[in-house]
Each structure stands twice: as structure tokens, then as C-alpha cells.
PDB file of all heavy atoms in Angstrom:
ATOM      1  N   LEU A   1       9.810   1.589 -14.578  1.00 62.00           N
ATOM      2  CA  LEU A   1       8.921   0.570 -14.007  1.00 62.00           C
ATOM      3  C   LEU A   1       8.386   0.983 -12.652  1.00 62.00           C
ATOM      4  O   LEU A   1       7.213   0.735 -12.338  1.00 62.00           O
ATOM      5  CB  LEU A   1       9.693  -0.750 -13.882  1.00 62.00           C
ATOM      6  CG  LEU A   1       8.898  -1.939 -13.336  1.00 62.00           C
ATOM      7  CD1 LEU A   1       7.690  -2.235 -14.226  1.00 62.00           C
ATOM      8  CD2 LEU A   1       9.796  -3.166 -13.214  1.00 62.00           C
ATOM      9  N   GLY A   2       9.209   1.641 -11.835  1.00 61.00           N
ATOM     10  CA  GLY A   2       8.743   2.097 -10.521  1.00 61.00           C
ATOM     11  C   GLY A   2       7.575   3.060 -10.626  1.00 61.00           C
ATOM     12  O   GLY A   2       6.602   2.960  -9.891  1.00 61.00           O
ATOM     13  N   GLY A   3       7.674   3.991 -11.584  1.00 67.00           N
ATOM     14  CA  GLY A   3       6.571   4.928 -11.813  1.00 67.00           C
ATOM     15  C   GLY A   3       5.307   4.249 -12.245  1.00 67.00           C
ATOM     16  O   GLY A   3       4.212   4.602 -11.809  1.00 67.00           O
ATOM     17  N   ILE A   4       5.464   3.251 -13.122  1.00 74.00           N
ATOM     18  CA  ILE A   4       4.284   2.508 -13.610  1.00 74.00           C
ATOM     19  C   ILE A   4       3.609   1.764 -12.446  1.00 74.00           C
ATOM     20  O   ILE A   4       2.387   1.761 -12.311  1.00 74.00           O
ATOM     21  CB  ILE A   4       4.686   1.522 -14.717  1.00 74.00           C
ATOM     22  CG1 ILE A   4       5.175   2.277 -15.947  1.00 74.00           C
ATOM     23  CG2 ILE A   4       3.510   0.605 -15.082  1.00 74.00           C
ATOM     24  CD1 ILE A   4       5.722   1.406 -17.033  1.00 74.00           C
ATOM     25  N   VAL A   5       4.416   1.137 -11.595  1.00 75.00           N
ATOM     26  CA  VAL A   5       3.879   0.351 -10.481  1.00 75.00           C
ATOM     27  C   VAL A   5       3.107   1.237  -9.513  1.00 75.00           C
ATOM     28  O   VAL A   5       1.983   0.906  -9.103  1.00 75.00           O
ATOM     29  CB  VAL A   5       5.017  -0.405  -9.762  1.00 75.00           C
ATOM     30  CG1 VAL A   5       4.478  -1.034  -8.461  1.00 75.00           C
ATOM     31  CG2 VAL A   5       5.597  -1.466 -10.660  1.00 75.00           C
ATOM     32  N   VAL A   6       3.692   2.379  -9.111  1.00 73.00           N
ATOM     33  CA  VAL A   6       3.005   3.228  -8.136  1.00 73.00           C
ATOM     34  C   VAL A   6       1.735   3.851  -8.738  1.00 73.00           C
ATOM     35  O   VAL A   6       0.737   4.031  -8.033  1.00 73.00           O
ATOM     36  CB  VAL A   6       3.951   4.320  -7.583  1.00 73.00           C
ATOM     37  CG1 VAL A   6       5.090   3.711  -6.819  1.00 73.00           C
ATOM     38  CG2 VAL A   6       4.459   5.248  -8.684  1.00 73.00           C
ATOM     39  N   ILE A   7       1.743   4.165 -10.023  1.00 80.00           N
ATOM     40  CA  ILE A   7       0.538   4.685 -10.663  1.00 80.00           C
ATOM     41  C   ILE A   7      -0.529   3.607 -10.708  1.00 80.00           C
ATOM     42  O   ILE A   7      -1.729   3.875 -10.476  1.00 80.00           O
ATOM     43  CB  ILE A   7       0.846   5.172 -12.090  1.00 80.00           C
ATOM     44  CG1 ILE A   7       1.481   6.565 -12.023  1.00 80.00           C
ATOM     45  CG2 ILE A   7      -0.406   5.261 -12.934  1.00 80.00           C
ATOM     46  CD1 ILE A   7       0.568   7.641 -11.470  1.00 80.00           C
ATOM     47  N   LEU A   8      -0.148   2.353 -10.976  1.00 83.00           N
ATOM     48  CA  LEU A   8      -1.119   1.253 -10.969  1.00 83.00           C
ATOM     49  C   LEU A   8      -1.714   1.090  -9.567  1.00 83.00           C
ATOM     50  O   LEU A   8      -2.905   0.808  -9.427  1.00 83.00           O
ATOM     51  CB  LEU A   8      -0.465  -0.038 -11.423  1.00 83.00           C
ATOM     52  CG  LEU A   8      -0.131  -0.144 -12.916  1.00 83.00           C
ATOM     53  CD1 LEU A   8       0.596  -1.439 -13.223  1.00 83.00           C
ATOM     54  CD2 LEU A   8      -1.419  -0.046 -13.739  1.00 83.00           C
ATOM     55  N   PHE A   9      -0.896   1.239  -8.531  1.00 78.00           N
ATOM     56  CA  PHE A   9      -1.394   1.183  -7.151  1.00 78.00           C
ATOM     57  C   PHE A   9      -2.446   2.252  -6.933  1.00 78.00           C
ATOM     58  O   PHE A   9      -3.522   2.002  -6.383  1.00 78.00           O
ATOM     59  CB  PHE A   9      -0.227   1.389  -6.162  1.00 78.00           C
ATOM     60  CG  PHE A   9       0.255   0.109  -5.541  1.00 78.00           C
ATOM     61  CD1 PHE A   9       1.129  -0.696  -6.220  1.00 78.00           C
ATOM     62  CD2 PHE A   9      -0.150  -0.272  -4.272  1.00 78.00           C
ATOM     63  CE1 PHE A   9       1.586  -1.884  -5.673  1.00 78.00           C
ATOM     64  CE2 PHE A   9       0.297  -1.445  -3.705  1.00 78.00           C
ATOM     65  CZ  PHE A   9       1.170  -2.254  -4.406  1.00 78.00           C
ATOM     66  N   GLY A  10      -2.144   3.468  -7.363  1.00 81.00           N
ATOM     67  CA  GLY A  10      -3.086   4.571  -7.196  1.00 81.00           C
ATOM     68  C   GLY A  10      -4.364   4.346  -7.953  1.00 81.00           C
ATOM     69  O   GLY A  10      -5.469   4.570  -7.426  1.00 81.00           O
ATOM     70  N   CYS A  11      -4.253   3.889  -9.191  1.00 87.00           N
ATOM     71  CA  CYS A  11      -5.435   3.658 -10.027  1.00 87.00           C
ATOM     72  C   CYS A  11      -6.281   2.506  -9.468  1.00 87.00           C
ATOM     73  O   CYS A  11      -7.518   2.561  -9.504  1.00 87.00           O
ATOM     74  CB  CYS A  11      -5.021   3.337 -11.474  1.00 87.00           C
ATOM     75  SG  CYS A  11      -4.303   4.759 -12.343  1.00 87.00           S
ATOM     76  N   LEU A  12      -5.627   1.484  -8.938  1.00 86.00           N
ATOM     77  CA  LEU A  12      -6.374   0.388  -8.299  1.00 86.00           C
ATOM     78  C   LEU A  12      -7.139   0.915  -7.101  1.00 86.00           C
ATOM     79  O   LEU A  12      -8.293   0.505  -6.864  1.00 86.00           O
ATOM     80  CB  LEU A  12      -5.386  -0.713  -7.867  1.00 86.00           C
ATOM     81  CG  LEU A  12      -6.019  -1.885  -7.111  1.00 86.00           C
ATOM     82  CD1 LEU A  12      -7.047  -2.593  -7.974  1.00 86.00           C
ATOM     83  CD2 LEU A  12      -4.931  -2.884  -6.678  1.00 86.00           C
ATOM     84  N   GLY A  13      -6.512   1.820  -6.350  1.00 83.00           N
ATOM     85  CA  GLY A  13      -7.212   2.416  -5.213  1.00 83.00           C
ATOM     86  C   GLY A  13      -8.435   3.194  -5.648  1.00 83.00           C
ATOM     87  O   GLY A  13      -9.506   3.108  -5.014  1.00 83.00           O
ATOM     88  N   VAL A  14      -8.316   3.973  -6.734  1.00 87.00           N
ATOM     89  CA  VAL A  14      -9.458   4.719  -7.244  1.00 87.00           C
ATOM     90  C   VAL A  14     -10.583   3.773  -7.653  1.00 87.00           C
ATOM     91  O   VAL A  14     -11.761   4.013  -7.352  1.00 87.00           O
ATOM     92  CB  VAL A  14      -9.042   5.599  -8.458  1.00 87.00           C
ATOM     93  CG1 VAL A  14     -10.242   6.230  -9.128  1.00 87.00           C
ATOM     94  CG2 VAL A  14      -8.056   6.677  -8.016  1.00 87.00           C
ATOM     95  N   TYR A  15     -10.205   2.684  -8.335  1.00 87.00           N
ATOM     96  CA  TYR A  15     -11.204   1.701  -8.763  1.00 87.00           C
ATOM     97  C   TYR A  15     -11.935   1.091  -7.567  1.00 87.00           C
ATOM     98  O   TYR A  15     -13.178   0.939  -7.592  1.00 87.00           O
ATOM     99  CB  TYR A  15     -10.509   0.613  -9.569  1.00 87.00           C
ATOM    100  CG  TYR A  15     -11.409  -0.538  -9.953  1.00 87.00           C
ATOM    101  CD1 TYR A  15     -12.287  -0.443 -11.025  1.00 87.00           C
ATOM    102  CD2 TYR A  15     -11.374  -1.729  -9.218  1.00 87.00           C
ATOM    103  CE1 TYR A  15     -13.123  -1.502 -11.365  1.00 87.00           C
ATOM    104  CE2 TYR A  15     -12.192  -2.796  -9.562  1.00 87.00           C
ATOM    105  CZ  TYR A  15     -13.072  -2.681 -10.617  1.00 87.00           C
ATOM    106  OH  TYR A  15     -13.891  -3.729 -10.945  1.00 87.00           O
ATOM    107  N   MET A  16     -11.189   0.756  -6.505  1.00 84.00           N
ATOM    108  CA  MET A  16     -11.798   0.127  -5.335  1.00 84.00           C
ATOM    109  C   MET A  16     -12.718   1.117  -4.619  1.00 84.00           C
ATOM    110  O   MET A  16     -13.794   0.732  -4.144  1.00 84.00           O
ATOM    111  CB  MET A  16     -10.719  -0.387  -4.403  1.00 84.00           C
ATOM    112  CG  MET A  16      -9.858  -1.492  -4.986  1.00 84.00           C
ATOM    113  SD  MET A  16      -8.503  -2.032  -3.929  1.00 84.00           S
ATOM    114  CE  MET A  16      -9.423  -2.912  -2.650  1.00 84.00           C
ATOM    115  N   VAL A  17     -12.289   2.375  -4.527  1.00 83.00           N
ATOM    116  CA  VAL A  17     -13.125   3.371  -3.847  1.00 83.00           C
ATOM    117  C   VAL A  17     -14.422   3.607  -4.643  1.00 83.00           C
ATOM    118  O   VAL A  17     -15.525   3.618  -4.072  1.00 83.00           O
ATOM    119  CB  VAL A  17     -12.352   4.698  -3.687  1.00 83.00           C
ATOM    120  CG1 VAL A  17     -13.302   5.823  -3.262  1.00 83.00           C
ATOM    121  CG2 VAL A  17     -11.248   4.532  -2.663  1.00 83.00           C
ATOM    122  N   LEU A  18     -14.289   3.779  -5.946  1.00 87.00           N
ATOM    123  CA  LEU A  18     -15.473   4.008  -6.785  1.00 87.00           C
ATOM    124  C   LEU A  18     -16.396   2.795  -6.749  1.00 87.00           C
ATOM    125  O   LEU A  18     -17.626   2.916  -6.745  1.00 87.00           O
ATOM    126  CB  LEU A  18     -15.057   4.351  -8.221  1.00 87.00           C
ATOM    127  CG  LEU A  18     -14.329   5.680  -8.407  1.00 87.00           C
ATOM    128  CD1 LEU A  18     -13.936   5.852  -9.865  1.00 87.00           C
ATOM    129  CD2 LEU A  18     -15.190   6.842  -7.938  1.00 87.00           C
ATOM    130  N   GLY A  19     -15.794   1.588  -6.760  1.00 85.00           N
ATOM    131  CA  GLY A  19     -16.596   0.364  -6.687  1.00 85.00           C
ATOM    132  C   GLY A  19     -17.375   0.274  -5.395  1.00 85.00           C
ATOM    133  O   GLY A  19     -18.544  -0.105  -5.373  1.00 85.00           O
ATOM    134  N   SER A  20     -16.738   0.671  -4.280  1.00 80.00           N
ATOM    135  CA  SER A  20     -17.427   0.648  -3.002  1.00 80.00           C
ATOM    136  C   SER A  20     -18.549   1.669  -2.928  1.00 80.00           C
ATOM    137  O   SER A  20     -19.638   1.388  -2.417  1.00 80.00           O
ATOM    138  CB  SER A  20     -16.417   0.929  -1.866  1.00 80.00           C
ATOM    139  OG  SER A  20     -15.417  -0.069  -1.813  1.00 80.00           O
ATOM    140  N   VAL A  21     -18.279   2.852  -3.496  1.00 80.00           N
ATOM    141  CA  VAL A  21     -19.323   3.900  -3.526  1.00 80.00           C
ATOM    142  C   VAL A  21     -20.500   3.434  -4.369  1.00 80.00           C
ATOM    143  O   VAL A  21     -21.671   3.621  -3.998  1.00 80.00           O
ATOM    144  CB  VAL A  21     -18.736   5.228  -4.059  1.00 80.00           C
ATOM    145  CG1 VAL A  21     -19.856   6.245  -4.286  1.00 80.00           C
ATOM    146  CG2 VAL A  21     -17.711   5.767  -3.091  1.00 80.00           C
ATOM    147  N   TYR A  22     -20.210   2.824  -5.512  1.00 80.00           N
ATOM    148  CA  TYR A  22     -21.273   2.328  -6.391  1.00 80.00           C
ATOM    149  C   TYR A  22     -22.095   1.242  -5.688  1.00 80.00           C
ATOM    150  O   TYR A  22     -23.314   1.225  -5.758  1.00 80.00           O
ATOM    151  CB  TYR A  22     -20.666   1.776  -7.683  1.00 80.00           C
ATOM    152  CG  TYR A  22     -21.694   1.214  -8.644  1.00 80.00           C
ATOM    153  CD1 TYR A  22     -22.338   2.048  -9.559  1.00 80.00           C
ATOM    154  CD2 TYR A  22     -22.014  -0.137  -8.639  1.00 80.00           C
ATOM    155  CE1 TYR A  22     -23.290   1.556 -10.435  1.00 80.00           C
ATOM    156  CE2 TYR A  22     -22.974  -0.645  -9.504  1.00 80.00           C
ATOM    157  CZ  TYR A  22     -23.598   0.205 -10.409  1.00 80.00           C
ATOM    158  OH  TYR A  22     -24.537  -0.303 -11.269  1.00 80.00           O
ATOM    159  N   MET A  23     -21.398   0.332  -5.016  1.00 76.00           N
ATOM    160  CA  MET A  23     -22.091  -0.741  -4.296  1.00 76.00           C
ATOM    161  C   MET A  23     -22.995  -0.180  -3.212  1.00 76.00           C
ATOM    162  O   MET A  23     -24.118  -0.651  -2.992  1.00 76.00           O
ATOM    163  CB  MET A  23     -21.081  -1.723  -3.688  1.00 76.00           C
ATOM    164  CG  MET A  23     -21.723  -2.920  -2.995  1.00 76.00           C
ATOM    165  SD  MET A  23     -20.475  -3.991  -2.215  1.00 76.00           S
ATOM    166  CE  MET A  23     -19.524  -4.497  -3.648  1.00 76.00           C
ATOM    167  N   PHE A  24     -22.491   0.836  -2.502  1.00 74.00           N
ATOM    168  CA  PHE A  24     -23.292   1.440  -1.439  1.00 74.00           C
ATOM    169  C   PHE A  24     -24.515   2.154  -2.012  1.00 74.00           C
ATOM    170  O   PHE A  24     -25.600   2.096  -1.443  1.00 74.00           O
ATOM    171  CB  PHE A  24     -22.436   2.445  -0.648  1.00 74.00           C
ATOM    172  CG  PHE A  24     -23.217   3.150   0.434  1.00 74.00           C
ATOM    173  CD1 PHE A  24     -23.488   2.528   1.626  1.00 74.00           C
ATOM    174  CD2 PHE A  24     -23.662   4.453   0.241  1.00 74.00           C
ATOM    175  CE1 PHE A  24     -24.198   3.159   2.626  1.00 74.00           C
ATOM    176  CE2 PHE A  24     -24.373   5.106   1.231  1.00 74.00           C
ATOM    177  CZ  PHE A  24     -24.645   4.467   2.430  1.00 74.00           C
ATOM    178  N   ALA A  25     -24.341   2.817  -3.165  1.00 75.00           N
ATOM    179  CA  ALA A  25     -25.442   3.615  -3.731  1.00 75.00           C
ATOM    180  C   ALA A  25     -26.461   2.742  -4.460  1.00 75.00           C
ATOM    181  O   ALA A  25     -27.661   3.010  -4.370  1.00 75.00           O
ATOM    182  CB  ALA A  25     -24.868   4.659  -4.691  1.00 75.00           C
ATOM    183  N   PHE A  26     -25.991   1.697  -5.138  1.00 74.00           N
ATOM    184  CA  PHE A  26     -26.917   0.949  -5.986  1.00 74.00           C
ATOM    185  C   PHE A  26     -27.040  -0.531  -5.632  1.00 74.00           C
ATOM    186  O   PHE A  26     -27.841  -1.237  -6.222  1.00 74.00           O
ATOM    187  CB  PHE A  26     -26.447   1.060  -7.456  1.00 74.00           C
ATOM    188  CG  PHE A  26     -26.366   2.465  -7.959  1.00 74.00           C
ATOM    189  CD1 PHE A  26     -25.133   3.077  -8.114  1.00 74.00           C
ATOM    190  CD2 PHE A  26     -27.514   3.204  -8.227  1.00 74.00           C
ATOM    191  CE1 PHE A  26     -25.028   4.383  -8.561  1.00 74.00           C
ATOM    192  CE2 PHE A  26     -27.419   4.511  -8.668  1.00 74.00           C
ATOM    193  CZ  PHE A  26     -26.191   5.106  -8.836  1.00 74.00           C
ATOM    194  N   GLY A  27     -26.202  -0.997  -4.675  1.00 64.00           N
ATOM    195  CA  GLY A  27     -26.278  -2.400  -4.292  1.00 64.00           C
ATOM    196  C   GLY A  27     -27.597  -2.703  -3.611  1.00 64.00           C
ATOM    197  O   GLY A  27     -28.181  -1.862  -2.912  1.00 64.00           O
ATOM    198  N   LYS A  28     -28.076  -3.909  -3.791  1.00 54.00           N
ATOM    199  CA  LYS A  28     -29.344  -4.318  -3.175  1.00 54.00           C
ATOM    200  C   LYS A  28     -29.118  -5.368  -2.112  1.00 54.00           C
ATOM    201  O   LYS A  28     -28.284  -6.256  -2.234  1.00 54.00           O
ATOM    202  CB  LYS A  28     -30.262  -4.927  -4.257  1.00 54.00           C
ATOM    203  CG  LYS A  28     -30.716  -3.906  -5.295  1.00 54.00           C
ATOM    204  CD  LYS A  28     -31.667  -4.532  -6.280  1.00 54.00           C
ATOM    205  CE  LYS A  28     -32.137  -3.508  -7.311  1.00 54.00           C
ATOM    206  NZ  LYS A  28     -33.068  -4.117  -8.303  1.00 54.00           N
ATOM    207  N   LYS A  29     -29.836  -5.243  -1.065  1.00 50.00           N
ATOM    208  CA  LYS A  29     -29.795  -6.181   0.031  1.00 50.00           C
ATOM    209  C   LYS A  29     -30.532  -7.470  -0.371  1.00 50.00           C
ATOM    210  O   LYS A  29     -31.671  -7.431  -0.808  1.00 50.00           O
ATOM    211  CB  LYS A  29     -30.431  -5.595   1.281  1.00 50.00           C
ATOM    212  CG  LYS A  29     -30.511  -6.526   2.470  1.00 50.00           C
ATOM    213  CD  LYS A  29     -31.117  -5.789   3.632  1.00 50.00           C
ATOM    214  CE  LYS A  29     -31.349  -6.706   4.813  1.00 50.00           C
ATOM    215  NZ  LYS A  29     -31.939  -6.030   5.967  1.00 50.00           N
ATOM    216  N   PRO A  30     -29.878  -8.671  -0.226  1.00 46.00           N
ATOM    217  CA  PRO A  30     -30.543  -9.909  -0.601  1.00 46.00           C
ATOM    218  C   PRO A  30     -31.793 -10.163   0.264  1.00 46.00           C
ATOM    219  O   PRO A  30     -31.857  -9.758   1.410  1.00 46.00           O
ATOM    220  CB  PRO A  30     -29.466 -10.981  -0.310  1.00 46.00           C
ATOM    221  CG  PRO A  30     -28.186 -10.240  -0.244  1.00 46.00           C
ATOM    222  CD  PRO A  30     -28.519  -8.888   0.252  1.00 46.00           C
ATOM    223  N   LYS A  31     -32.717 -10.800  -0.331  1.00 48.00           N
ATOM    224  CA  LYS A  31     -33.918 -11.145   0.419  1.00 48.00           C
ATOM    225  C   LYS A  31     -33.614 -12.250   1.438  1.00 48.00           C
ATOM    226  O   LYS A  31     -32.773 -13.111   1.185  1.00 48.00           O
ATOM    227  CB  LYS A  31     -35.024 -11.655  -0.510  1.00 48.00           C
ATOM    228  CG  LYS A  31     -35.501 -10.547  -1.473  1.00 48.00           C
ATOM    229  CD  LYS A  31     -36.604 -11.104  -2.365  1.00 48.00           C
ATOM    230  CE  LYS A  31     -37.099  -9.997  -3.325  1.00 48.00           C
ATOM    231  NZ  LYS A  31     -38.144 -10.501  -4.235  1.00 48.00           N
ATOM    232  N   GLN A  32     -34.295 -12.231   2.554  1.00 47.00           N
ATOM    233  CA  GLN A  32     -33.997 -13.183   3.590  1.00 47.00           C
ATOM    234  C   GLN A  32     -34.454 -14.580   3.228  1.00 47.00           C
ATOM    235  O   GLN A  32     -33.839 -15.573   3.601  1.00 47.00           O
ATOM    236  CB  GLN A  32     -34.644 -12.759   4.899  1.00 47.00           C
ATOM    237  CG  GLN A  32     -34.080 -11.452   5.443  1.00 47.00           C
ATOM    238  CD  GLN A  32     -34.627 -11.111   6.802  1.00 47.00           C
ATOM    239  OE1 GLN A  32     -35.275 -11.947   7.440  1.00 47.00           O
ATOM    240  NE2 GLN A  32     -34.380  -9.923   7.264  1.00 47.00           N
ATOM    241  N   ASN A  33     -35.504 -14.727   2.511  1.00 48.00           N
ATOM    242  CA  ASN A  33     -35.998 -16.016   2.120  1.00 48.00           C
ATOM    243  C   ASN A  33     -36.243 -16.046   0.629  1.00 48.00           C
ATOM    244  O   ASN A  33     -37.054 -15.288   0.090  1.00 48.00           O
ATOM    245  CB  ASN A  33     -37.315 -16.356   2.844  1.00 48.00           C
ATOM    246  CG  ASN A  33     -37.108 -16.519   4.336  1.00 48.00           C
ATOM    247  OD1 ASN A  33     -36.379 -17.396   4.772  1.00 48.00           O
ATOM    248  ND2 ASN A  33     -37.733 -15.636   5.109  1.00 48.00           N
TER     249      ASN A  33
END
């Protein structure tokens, strides 16, 4: 179980990093009005 938990932590980190990179590359700034 310890191995599964730490791997899930690492995979969650990869997901968050890739999500942030995707948002930065393709995210759109909302219009002001």
C-alpha cells in the first residue's frame, strides 16, 4: 500500500504539472466585458 500511495502522489504531480502547462499554452484570457 505504501508503494501505491507514493506512486499516486507522483502521478498526481505529473497530472498537475501537465495541466498547468496545457493551461498556459492553450488557455484563453476571459474578455473584460
